[in-house]
């Protein structure tokens, strides 16, 4: 059974792209309270099904596939640059393919402007008109207006004309930053990218018995199953360990683990993997906000996804990527890593930041473990000592040393040198991700 919240989200998703919605309209249409409608619209905004724009309203926009996440809709542009829509409101759901800065003669400007573009220009009303006729939207910088004829043309062609008080350089920087942030999001693997969906998941019901567990176990060779109600609500997990020495007729809900650890679709794969290692579980159920099972993810799925992600080309750069790019490995037997401190990695005093230093040591440790054929690992705890400040553009040498290694844990010691000077030391414990 779907909840009211789910039904509203399904209704919003079924609306044509470009439709305008409101709390009152949804409440009336779905016969729910305005509070319920408001919460569902906020959730739809988080899922990027709609976009709310001041003085315009909430508009159904196209949900982007992950491979096209860096493409922005005109509605998103309005919110990024805090703009005002002068005309063409019904085209705000459309996606822009590129933006053109109109800092040239009119004929030259039009050579670069085509359908789906966004022309960023000042108060050149003829350029506004030409761009609209070419099939491009217009973003007017400096807080300027356009002619009534251009506004009417924008409405007729469903192409937005947006005005912002920011200058052209600031606007271009803001849009670039937004695209860059989207690219970073694209690189982060989420559970929704790798999970096994409900229809392919073997489950048991809370009314089943131990005999049913053994039947499922023989049929699938799996050692763990989510336990659901007949409404598909997750109520427990059961593993081979739970049924040892139990009678065949014993109900599952007497031996299962109740209120099990679960993840949502938007949980990152790295976070899920860390939780699975920490809790010692091999199968993680994936649920929605109402506790209904959507699928499962196994420790093997997590490991494969992490290894695959490391082989993919990266687009948006996080601080982790910046640190990795500056690492150069030296030595075969005794590993040492050379590292250059760039301006992005410094604090307000021009010395390497604590965050960048921590990432550097974690990456060097993980690399040293891979060299020892120990696979993936996550940091469990660390003690770091700054002995001397490390200035920008310093070249560091990090020397990791394994002190103790067991099947599940590794203790490692690090020494960090700048030239011949010892500038930092650390002790870290890693937990190994079992294959």
């Amino acid at each position: 059974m779907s909840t009211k919240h789910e039904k509203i989200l399904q209704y919003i998703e079924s609306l044509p792209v470009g439709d305008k919605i409101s709390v009152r309209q949804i409440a009336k249409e779905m016969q729910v309270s305005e509070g319920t409608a408001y919460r569902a619209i906020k959730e739809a905004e988080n899922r990027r099904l709609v976009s709310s724009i001041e003085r315009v309203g909430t508009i159904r926009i196209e949900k982007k596939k992950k491979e096209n996440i860096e493409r922005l809709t005109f509605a998103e542009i309005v919110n990024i640059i805090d703009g005002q829509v002068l005309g063409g409101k019904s085209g705000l759901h459309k996606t822009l393919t590129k933006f053109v800065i109109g800092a040239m003669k009119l004929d030259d400007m039009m050579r670069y402007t085509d359908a789906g573009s966004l022309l960023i220009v000042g108060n050149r009303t003829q350029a506004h008109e030409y761009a609209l006729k070419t099939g491009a939207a217009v973003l007017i910088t400096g807080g300027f207006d356009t002619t009534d004829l251009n506004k009417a043309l924008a409405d007729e062609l469903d192409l937005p004309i947006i005005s912002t008080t920011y200058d052209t350089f600031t606007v271009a920087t803001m849009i670039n930053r937004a695209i860059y942030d989207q690219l970073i999001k694209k690189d982060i693997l989420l559970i929704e990218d790798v999970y096994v969906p409900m229809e392919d998941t073997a489950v048991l019901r809370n009314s089943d018995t131990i005999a049913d567990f053994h039947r499922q176990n023989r049929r699938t060779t799996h050692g763990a199953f989510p336990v659901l109600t007949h409404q598909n609500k997750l109520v427990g997990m059961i593993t081979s360990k739970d049924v040892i020495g139990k009678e065949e007729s014993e109900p599952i809900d007497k031996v299962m683990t109740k209120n099990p650890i679960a993840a949502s679709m938007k949980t990152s794969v790295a976070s899920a993997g860390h939780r699975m290692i920490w809790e010692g579980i091999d199968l993680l159920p994936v649920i929605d906000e109402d506790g209904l099972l959507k699928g499962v993810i196994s420790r093997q799925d997590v490991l494969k996804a992490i290894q695959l992600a490391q082989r993919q080309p990266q687009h948006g750069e996080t601080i982790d990527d910046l640190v990795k790019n500056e690492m150069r490995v030296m030595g075969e037997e005794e590993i040492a890593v050379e590292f250059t401190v760039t301006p992005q990695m410094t604090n307000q005093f021009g010395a390497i930041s604590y965050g960048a230093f921590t990432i550097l040591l974690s990456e060097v440790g993980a690399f040293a473990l891979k060299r020892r054929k120990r696979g993936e690992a996550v940091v469990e705890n660390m003690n770091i000592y700054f002995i001397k400040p490390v200035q920008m553009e310093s070249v560091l040498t990090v020397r990791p040393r394994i002190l103790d290694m067991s099947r599940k844990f590794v203790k490692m010691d690090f020494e960090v040198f700048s030239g011949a000077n010892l500038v930092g030391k650390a002790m870290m414990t890693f937990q190994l991700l079992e294959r």
Side-chain angles (χ1 to χ4, degrees):
M1 285 284 289
S2 294
T3 61
K4 286 179 185 176
H5 185 80
E6 266 193 318
K7 283 178 178 168
I8 298 169
L9 287 169
Q10 285 163 7
Y11 170 72
I12 291 171
E13 202 161 0
S14 71
L15 292 172
V17 169
D19 267 24
K20 202 168 154 185
I21 60 170
S22 69
V23 170
R24 192 170 292 174
Q25 171 216 329
I26 294 287
K28 190 176 175 185
E29 188 77 35
M30 303 299 293
Q31 295 183 333
V32 294
S33 70
E34 290 193 1
T36 303
Y38 175 78
R39 283 191 294 277
I41 289 172
K42 279 290 159 198
E43 175 63 22
E45 208 168 344
N46 291 338
R47 292 189 191 182
R48 302 172 76 86
L49 295 171
V50 298
S51 187
S52 297
I53 302 165
E54 205 177 333
R55 297 185 293 275
V56 174
T58 303
I59 293 166
R60 171 79 171 90
I61 60 171
E62 193 174 358
K63 189 176 182 182
K64 293 190 279 289
K65 291 180 181 173
K66 199 157 189 176
E67 58 268 25
N68 295 326
I69 199 169
E70 66 271 25
R71 291 192 171 187
L72 298 169
T73 62
F74 294 118
E76 288 169 315
I77 294 287
V78 174
N79 286 331
I80 290 161
I81 50 95
D82 195 22
Q84 182 184 352
V85 183
L86 305 176
K89 288 177 185 176
S90 50
L92 284 167
H93 64 278
K94 293 178 181 175
T95 305
L96 72 132
T97 52
K98 65 174 182 182
F99 62 88
V100 179
I101 294 174
M104 53 193 98
K105 288 183 179 175
L106 191 58
D107 290 345
D108 295 329
M109 203 187 300
M110 288 306 115
R111 278 214 309 272
Y112 292 99
T113 309
D114 47 29
S117 304
L118 175 68
L119 177 66
I120 303 173
V121 70
N123 57 342
R124 298 170 67 179
T125 53
Q126 197 175 5
H128 305 165
E129 182 191 342
Y130 280 25
L132 290 168
K133 286 178 177 173
T134 310
V138 179
L139 173 51
I140 307 167
T141 56
F144 293 110
D145 203 346
T146 190
T147 63
D148 290 338
L149 283 173
N150 284 345
K151 289 176 189 175
L153 183 61
D155 288 335
E156 184 190 324
L157 298 172
D158 292 340
L159 290 167
I161 294 188
I162 305 158
S163 176
T164 178
T165 51
Y166 294 111
D167 61 80
T168 302
F169 175 78
T170 306
V171 163
T173 306
M174 289 165 90
I175 295 172
N176 258 329
R177 179 72 250 178
I179 291 171
Y180 197 67
D181 287 348
Q182 300 281 47
L183 282 167
I184 290 172
K185 285 181 188 174
K186 178 180 173 178
D187 285 339
I188 296 169
L189 270 177
L190 303 177
I191 280 184
E192 66 182 1
D193 301 318
V194 296
Y195 80 112
V196 177
M198 172 72 178
E199 51 270 24
D200 299 326
T201 302
V203 301
L204 289 163
R205 302 290 169 181
N206 56 346
S207 55
D208 288 343
T209 62
I210 303 293
D212 295 307
F213 173 91
H214 289 308
R215 270 194 291 277
Q216 278 284 46
N217 175 251
R218 283 192 296 272
R219 187 179 69 81
T220 63
T221 71
H222 296 172
F225 302 97
V227 182
L228 313 179
T229 65
H230 287 284
Q231 286 76 41
N232 290 338
K233 194 174 181 74
L234 179 72
V235 288
M237 283 292 292
I238 187 162
T239 69
S240 304
K241 289 178 192 170
D242 299 323
V243 302
I244 294 169
K246 306 292 181 192
E247 294 291 327
E248 293 274 291
S249 57
E250 195 165 344
I252 273 176
D253 61 2
K254 292 283 188 288
V255 297
M256 70 183 186
T257 302
K258 292 176 180 170
N259 304 314
I261 296 161
S264 74
M265 292 287 210
K266 296 295 178 189
T267 304
S268 73
V269 169
S271 168
H274 194 281
R275 191 87 191 268
M276 289 169 90
I277 299 165
W278 190 257
E279 303 285 351
I281 53 179
D282 292 313
L283 193 72
L284 190 67
V286 182
I287 57 173
D288 64 13
E289 59 273 11
D290 299 308
L292 302 177
L293 190 77
K294 306 307 285 181
V296 292
I297 186 165
S298 71
R299 199 186 289 206
Q300 279 180 315
D301 296 330
V302 168
L303 195 61
K304 277 186 207 159
I306 290 170
Q307 287 170 341
L308 181 67
Q310 286 170 348
R311 292 197 291 268
Q312 297 298 313
Q314 302 295 304
H315 297 290
E317 284 191 311
T318 61
I319 187 72
D320 290 49
D321 297 321
L322 294 171
V323 169
K324 283 180 202 170
N325 291 344
E326 293 300 322
M327 286 168 52
R328 295 170 297 283
V329 180
M330 305 180 300
E332 288 299 322
E333 290 302 313
E334 290 221 352
I335 294 170
V337 173
E338 205 173 74
F339 176 80
T340 306
V341 181
T342 66
Q344 297 101 314
M345 299 169 201
T346 55
N347 58 22
Q348 69 269 37
F349 306 114
I352 190 169
S353 71
Y354 187 80
F357 195 64
T358 304
I359 292 165
L360 170 64
L361 296 174
S362 304
E363 290 296 334
V364 171
F367 181 80
L369 288 172
K370 278 186 188 163
R371 275 282 178 95
R372 293 286 295 265
K373 304 285 190 290
R374 293 313 302 258
E376 305 299 331
V378 290
V379 177
E380 190 178 80
N381 61 57
M382 62 176 78
N383 289 307
I384 295 176
Y385 304 95
F386 279 111
I387 294 165
K388 290 181 180 172
V390 178
Q391 295 305 309
M392 180 171 47
E393 294 179 356
S394 299
V395 177
L396 302 180
T397 305
V398 185
R399 298 188 185 280
R401 187 162 52 104
I402 293 172
L403 302 176
D404 183 44
M405 188 184 295
S406 66
R407 197 167 63 83
K408 286 196 172 180
F409 295 96
V410 178
K411 285 182 182 166
M412 211 179 281
D413 169 73
F414 297 84
E415 288 186 328
V416 185
F417 294 88
S418 178
N421 297 320
L422 182 67
V423 293
K425 280 183 76 73
M427 175 81 81
M428 297 175 83
T429 304
F430 289 84
Q431 194 168 23
L432 297 170
L433 210 164
E434 293 172 3
R435 291 182 180 281

